[in-house]
Amino acid sequence: MGKKITVDSATLFNKGLEVIEAHYLFGADYDNIDIVIHPQSIIHSMVETQDSSVLGQLGWPDMRLPILYTLSWPDRIHCSEITWPRLDLCKLGSLTFKAPDNVKYPSMDLAYAAGRAGGTMTGVLSAANEKAVEMFIDEKISYLDIFKVVERTCDAHRNDLVANPSLEEIVHYDLWARKYAADLQPSSALNPVPA
């Protein structure tokens, strides 16, 4: 899916962004959205119902299936075994799960905080992440600087946060976040702001 998604997967920003997506798509409170690390990447989502049963969506770790589902909604398209191999759970072996390491991957805490702040903060987080990843790919910052650039950009936006932004304000703060993130030099991203 490209360099951006690869880096987002490595930093787990993809998981944090998915939390924000789940909040907006399903109206779920952030306290009711949990991130679970599943190394096999077979279970793509799970929803716990009122009776505590869990419904899951399983499939190969390939974006073609969600794209096919999106294009064919509300129907399902038949795929032959030649074009799309069936998911054979017996051949998969074990499916494992673990809690994320929020210390090693602060991206998830940043995303939850941005989501809870709401308004323009989620767009600022996303734009700052995109710019930080671009700078990492261009070898202008280190891997660990990605987290710091995003955090510094979100912190700088706190006083200007717009709770119920217009489209123009969303676009304005998206562009602002990209510029602010780009202007952070590696040394300023690494070091905290002096008190």
Side-chain angles (χ1 to χ4, degrees), residues 50 66 72 74 76 78 91 102 108 125 138-139 152 176 186 188:
Q50 291 177 332
S72 64
R76 295 281 185 155
H78 174 75
K91 289 182 181 176
N102 291 55
M108 293 168 288
L125 172 98
D138 292 343
E139 299 181 3
R152 291 281 304 272
W176 172 87
S188 64

Side-chain angles (χ1 to χ4, degrees), residues 39-86:
Q40 294 81 21
S41 299
I42 297 298
I43 299 178
H44 301 287
S45 62
M46 296 185 293
V47 176
E48 184 177 359
T49 64
Q50 291 177 332
D51 65 3
S52 78
S53 62
V54 177
L55 306 174
Q57 190 274 317
L58 286 69
W60 292 114
D62 187 316
M63 287 304 295
R64 292 179 298 169
L65 187 58
I67 292 168
L68 177 66
Y69 181 58
T70 301
L71 294 174
S72 64
W73 171 262
D75 300 314
R76 295 281 185 155
I77 294 176
H78 174 75
C79 295
S80 74
E81 187 71 26
I82 296 168
T83 58
W84 194 263
R86 299 286 176 232

Side-chain angles (χ1 to χ4, degrees), residues 33 53 56 71-72 101 104 125 140-141 163 165 170 184 187 194:
I33 303 171
S53 62
L71 294 174
S72 64
D101 183 342
K104 188 174 181 181
L125 172 98
K140 294 178 181 174
I141 63 172
I170 291 169
L184 286 173
S187 60

